[in-house]
Amino acid sequence: MSEESVITAEKIDALYERLDEEAEASGYHLNPDREFTRGLVEGLLINEERYGYRACPCRLATGEKQQDLDIICPCDYRDPDLVDWGACYCALYVSDEVLEGKQEVQPVPERRPPEGQRARKAARAPAPGGEPALPVWRCRVCGYLCAREHPPGVCPICKAKRERFERFW
Amino acid sequence: MSEESVITAEKIDALYERLDEEAEASGYHLNPDREFTRGLVEGLLINEERYGYRACPCRLATGEKQQDLDIICPCDYRDPDLVDWGACYCALYVSDEVLEGKQEVQPVPERRPPEGQRARKAARAPAPGGEPALPVWRCRVCGYLCAREHPPGVCPICKAKRERFERFW
Amino acid sequence: MSEESVITAEKIDALYERLDEEAEASGYHLNPDREFTRGLVEGLLINEERYGYRACPCRLATGEKQQDLDIICPCDYRDPDLVDWGACYCALYVSDEVLEGKQEVQPVPERRPPEGQRARKAARAPAPGGEPALPVWRCRVCGYLCAREHPPGVCPICKAKRERFERFW
């Protein structure tokens, strides 16, 4: 981290716009409270300068990339948190329901496992011939497949809603 | 449906633009006949007001969401209809070939099963250990996987055409 | 190829813009050297006129579409070349690392198998019940699945980087 580094308003806006475009393109949404969200984007830029990667602005990173991989934004926990709480841990990302005012943003409990269990989770091996480690969901509209605890809020390909997914495997 | 509701030209245009962007981003296309298409988009907005969801503007919805899930636009039948007929049942969406003038839009026969058989189809269970219920296709360019009767016209990820897909499973 | 055909600067720019948008939307990048890249895009348009499809501008096409399928741009070899060399064979597409100046574009050796072996490769059949022919990768952030030798540089859905992928199958 150099003394001269300056995170200008232009840099924050540029990353904000890029994250917003990327989010919308795949059925995700930034928190519509623009000032709040810009604060988190600034946090991402600070962490990028400090650690070399955009660690979650609401969690304490170690500075060891391999140990922090799961909390590089978007973190491994965003999507399940969107399903269960309507927002990610930071509330940088919110669900359709929150965006449309049908649900309030609530405090999101920390879902990241403690350090010892994290390692074990990462070692989840493919099950040759057997059942996959996570359910595979299929979008009934376009056939998109993804492996996660629950289907996404919106199909990133055809924008059909969660209820159009079926368990495929 | 409230008496005061007004579906303004602005609302129609806003949804038109959004559907158009979403379609193009994933290799789909709205019907290029803009006035015709705006009429269908108005139908979607009318249904959204009436039922709370955007039921297909060319089919009779029941108003019971669970029973109408398969005909919420884009419907479960759009993609196979695009493969077989170059357009969906309403001709809201058309294929590459139709867009490029290589194929005419034809009348699309109703592919939706009668009510009794619909229920059975929805119950299609994952086949543990066995063959999947639908073929899985792989884009030879980018590795995208999807499960559907036939591969899509264009890979939604890398835009390679149908002929670049291979049967993966 | 007709005598009258003219590939105008407007046509080149239009295709350039479209390929650029499609690339960025899915985590790919055109070579940032705009003049160099425009030359390749012109080559794609010349091949489209000559053969009816956009064969790779840096390889010799046969004119028989079925035999050239693997070298229609983007070719079947782009993604592995991006992983191994930071660019495709033509350097039309480059990796994140090259775009960010962390890696130089290097000469990319021809990865396309000789004609006899190509046919055999294309015949790769699905393995019913057994292991798939290629590893299936899962994005730990969004659950995206793809089947390829190595995971992509960036998840086309949520833009998480390669290191966030795990072997799923």
Side-chain angles (χ1 to χ4, degrees), chain B:
Chain B
M1 185 165 56
S2 93
E3 293 283 328
E4 306 92 315
S5 90
V6 268
I7 292 170
T8 59
E10 284 72 34
K11 277 188 195 163
I12 298 172
D13 287 330
L15 181 56
Y16 179 102
E17 295 307 330
R18 191 176 139 197
L19 293 180
D20 186 47
E21 265 178 42
E22 287 178 358
E24 293 299 323
S26 298
Y28 295 96
H29 311 288
L30 292 186
N31 192 316
D33 179 339
R34 192 178 161 102
E35 276 320 295
F36 172 81
T37 300
R38 285 185 84 255
L40 293 171
V41 171
E42 184 175 10
L44 288 173
L45 288 168
I46 291 171
N47 282 349
E48 186 164 39
E49 266 198 13
R50 187 175 292 163
Y51 304 119
Y53 46 88
R54 294 194 201 129
C56 172
C58 306
R59 289 176 171 116
L60 192 61
T62 65
E64 303 265 357
K65 193 174 181 183
Q66 279 309 311
Q67 291 200 41
D68 294 341
L69 268 189
D70 60 324
I71 57 164
I72 293 178
C73 185
C75 70
D76 286 11
Y77 315 106
R78 176 185 66 172
D79 285 27
D81 280 339
L82 285 171
V83 171
D84 289 350
W85 306 100
C88 71
Y89 185 62
C90 292
L92 173 58
Y93 291 94
V94 300
S95 69
D96 266 47
E97 288 73 20
V98 165
L99 191 74
E100 294 166 9
K102 292 179 193 160
Q103 195 188 330
E104 293 280 308
V105 173
Q106 321 174 39
V108 176
E110 176 58 287
R111 170 192 300 270
R112 190 188 196 200
E115 210 190 314
Q117 292 167 42
R118 238 177 280 155
R120 241 178 301 143
K121 267 223 155 177
R124 184 173 46 202
E131 295 258 327
L134 279 170
V136 174
W137 302 97
R138 172 184 178 265
C139 172
R140 293 179 61 92
V141 176
C142 71
Y144 175 71
L145 296 174
C146 56
R148 23 189 292 161
E149 289 296 348
H150 301 281
V154 168
C155 172
I157 301 301
C158 75
K159 311 300 189 257
K161 296 201 176 169
R162 170 173 299 126
E163 62 233 11
R164 308 292 287 280
F165 277 85
E166 63 185 358
R167 178 94 189 249
F168 184 67
W169 204 264

Side-chain angles (χ1 to χ4, degrees), chain A residues 102-151:
Chain A
K102 292 178 193 161
Q103 194 188 332
E104 293 280 307
V105 173
Q106 321 174 40
V108 176
E110 177 57 288
R111 172 191 297 270
R112 191 188 195 200
E115 210 190 315
Q117 291 166 43
R118 235 176 281 154
R120 241 179 300 143
K121 265 223 155 176
R124 185 173 46 204
E131 296 259 327
L134 279 170
V136 174
W137 301 97
R138 172 183 178 266
C139 172
R140 293 179 62 92
V141 176
C142 71
Y144 175 70
L145 297 174
C146 56
R148 21 189 293 160
E149 288 295 348
H150 302 282

